[in-house]
Amino acid sequence: MGRHVASAPVTPPDQPPPQPPGTPATRPARAPAPLLASAALVVVEALVLAGFGVAQLTALSGSRATMGLTTTLFFVLYGGGLAACAWGLRRLVSWTRAPVVLAQLIQLGVAWSFRGGSTTLVALAAAAVAVLVLAGIFHPASIAALEEP
């Protein structure tokens, strides 16, 4: 008696083979463009924060030395942490998304406090950067890239 052999569907060479049902999707090898743009903007934020911290050293005075040093330390560490998270976003480390989102929400609040008067441009720039970073992080391609396998 003859045996019937089931054949697998043929996949065209320009398409990846179909995934079996229930198989998790693979993560991309590279971060998508919106996530890379967000990471780049976060690096700019980190440099500004660290630079502000270092600039505080020039304003040290004897009576406020402790306050000046702790302010410097805070902003340098904050900038360093954001830079590390930007590096993580670029490398598709999923947990780095949360600290970056939190930092952007804080930045939106700070931007709101700077509105009006001579600091309006600072407020607009800070808010624009925060919104662009959030848009890049919450872009569907970025969400898919940062999903845990």
Side-chain angles (χ1 to χ4, degrees):
M1 312 254 153
R3 278 187 150 163
H4 183 313
V5 177
S7 63
V10 177
T11 303
D14 62 338
Q15 292 182 352
Q19 296 286 337
T23 303
T26 58
R27 289 170 61 172
R30 279 192 65 174
L35 192 59
L36 289 175
S38 289
L41 287 172
V42 171
V43 168
V44 171
E45 290 175 339
L47 291 173
V48 168
L49 287 167
F52 180 73
V54 171
Q56 289 298 305
L57 289 174
T58 62
L60 283 180
S61 66
S63 63
R64 298 186 52 102
T66 302
M67 179 63 120
L69 288 175
T70 55
T71 301
T72 295
L73 185 63
F74 172 79
F75 282 106
V76 168
L77 288 176
Y78 187 17
L82 272 181
C85 287
W87 178 254
L89 287 176
R90 189 178 170 281
R91 297 188 65 215
L92 301 176
V93 179
S94 63
W95 68 264
T96 58
R97 175 179 34 203
V100 170
V101 168
L102 177 62
Q104 302 319 303
L105 296 176
I106 291 169
Q107 184 166 316
L108 285 172
V110 170
W112 181 259
S113 73
F114 274 89
R115 76 192 190 290
S118 63
T119 57
T120 299
L121 287 178
V122 173
L124 291 173
V129 169
V131 167
L132 287 172
V133 169
L134 290 171
I137 286 178
F138 290 122
H139 188 278
S142 299
I143 291 172
L146 290 171
E147 275 184 350
E148 290 292 330

